[in-house]
Amino acid sequence: MGSLVFTDDRKAEVFNSYFNSVNVDDNGTLPDFPHRAKADVSLDTVEFTTEKIHKVIRKHKPKHTGNPEDFSPYLVKQLITALPVPLLLLFSSFLSVGKIPSSWKNAIITPIYKKGLSSDPANYRPISLRSVFGKLMERVIAVDMTNYLLTNKLLNPSQYGFLSKRSTLTNLVESVNDWTVSIENKVYNRVAYIDFSRAFDSVSHVKLLYKLSPMVLMAFFSIGLLTFCQNVHTLLESVAPCRLLVIFEVVLYKVVVSVRSYIWFT
């Protein structure tokens, strides 16, 4: 049984130590993953337009939460008519040179209580507060990448979650329909539900990038997108930097990986 801590500094150190401990170190072995895209199919760049930027700002939740740059999403939402043009110039410039501001690689980690014993750090999940402008650029990239993957049928048809009109609810509706048909035909169903514990924390980012590379097939991926993931710095409530890697989950994780899935055997 561990000892209780009372000061903010010690609490932050405990959370920092625990969040680091659940990360999985990559074993350095890359699995065999063949090209899925055709030779003449590629996404060479991402086109930033004022319309796209206006749309992602409009969909952004107007929260008052802070971030390393001290620009709240609420403030950005209020400036929606003035920001698309300057952000268009900035995003296009960053993508062309394959670099982003160093402040976009900073994140403040806030522990959010889930359930169970509140004194157990395992019952908290880390939420990263990052640059609102970096998140806007990320979402424009995510839209283009998702459209590319769907258009060229590079996502598995069984992918549900994080996709438009393919939520976990539609997954359940389709499953119930299939099970009903099987029951009417007097066919037994065996269903295995898989819930990956701390799925995002345990994903090997090296392997995820390796898997995405032959699917996306774009030059900017190696120079532009990877810069989001390199030399990331995180602060746990303004305490010493920890090693927790914060990656652009919308672009690199949510498009490809579904946390909850099912395997159906008949």
Side-chain angles (χ1 to χ4, degrees):
M1 184 175 179
S3 58
L4 296 176
V5 296
F6 299 95
T7 66
D8 291 340
D9 287 349
R10 284 289 296 125
K11 291 177 183 177
E13 290 175 2
V14 170
F15 280 119
N16 182 27
S17 176
Y18 175 73
F19 292 153
N20 279 323
S21 68
V22 299
N23 292 332
V24 176
D25 293 329
D26 188 80
N27 60 7
T29 302
L30 295 177
D32 181 31
F33 191 76
H35 269 339
R36 292 191 178 181
K38 298 179 180 179
D40 58 342
V41 173
S42 65
L43 178 62
D44 298 317
T45 187
V46 169
E47 181 184 3
F48 293 102
T49 65
T50 54
E51 291 77 15
K52 289 181 180 179
I53 295 174
H54 187 279
K55 186 175 182 180
V56 295
I57 295 177
R58 182 166 49 83
K59 289 186 175 182
H60 208 60
K61 295 181 180 179
K63 298 180 180 179
H64 292 273
T65 54
N67 57 69
E69 294 179 328
D70 291 329
F71 288 102
S72 70
Y74 177 81
L75 174 62
V76 172
K77 193 94 170 182
Q78 297 304 306
L79 299 174
I80 188 171
T81 57
L83 286 177
V85 172
L87 289 181
L88 166 63
L89 299 175
L90 285 174
F91 294 167
S92 300
S93 176
F94 294 156
L95 188 62
S96 66
V97 298
K99 294 181 180 180
I100 59 173
S102 58
S103 61
W104 288 14
K105 300 182 182 183
N106 296 332
I108 299 175
I109 305 299
T110 301
I112 303 297
Y113 174 69
K114 297 186 298 183
K115 60 181 180 179
L117 194 63
S118 61
S119 59
D120 185 356
N123 293 326
Y124 292 78
R125 61 189 179 96
I127 298 297
S128 63
L129 303 178
R130 299 177 286 112
S131 166
V132 62
F133 300 112
K135 292 170 70 174
L136 293 176
M137 182 177 179
E138 160 197 321
R139 292 183 180 182
V140 175
I141 295 174
V143 170
D144 277 20
M145 285 185 64
T146 303
N147 291 336
Y148 167 81
L149 293 170
L150 292 174
T151 301
N152 294 283
K153 300 180 180 180
L154 296 176
L155 291 181
N156 193 299
S158 299
Q159 169 74 39
Y160 286 89
F162 311 119
L163 289 176
S164 177
K165 299 179 181 180
R166 293 184 67 83
S167 65
T168 52
L169 179 59
T170 57
N171 175 289
L172 183 59
V173 171
E174 184 175 328
S175 299
V176 171
N177 178 73
D178 293 342
W179 298 336
T180 302
V181 172
S182 296
I183 292 174
E184 291 178 349
N185 294 329
K186 298 182 179 180
V187 176
Y188 288 102
N189 291 315
R190 293 185 181 89
V191 181
Y193 283 91
I194 302 173
D195 186 4
F196 296 101
S197 176
R198 301 190 179 278
F200 180 70
D201 296 332
S202 59
V203 169
S204 168
H205 301 123
V206 174
K207 289 181 172 60
L208 183 55
L209 292 171
Y210 174 76
K211 181 177 181 180
L212 274 176
S213 182
M215 292 177 64
V216 180
L217 289 177
M218 52 188 171
F220 92 93
F221 179 82
S222 60
I223 59 174
L225 193 55
L226 287 181
T227 190
F228 285 112
C229 317
Q230 296 169 342
N231 303 317
V232 177
H233 301 282
T234 61
L235 297 176
L236 185 55
E237 294 297 340
S238 300
V239 182
C242 62
R243 293 186 302 106
L244 183 64
L245 177 61
V246 180
I247 204 167
F248 272 12
E249 64 269 17
V250 175
V251 177
L252 299 181
Y253 181 68
K254 292 185 177 180
V255 170
V256 179
V257 181
S258 179
V259 177
R260 295 178 181 271
S261 61
Y262 75 89
I263 302 176
W264 175 34
F265 304 93
T266 60

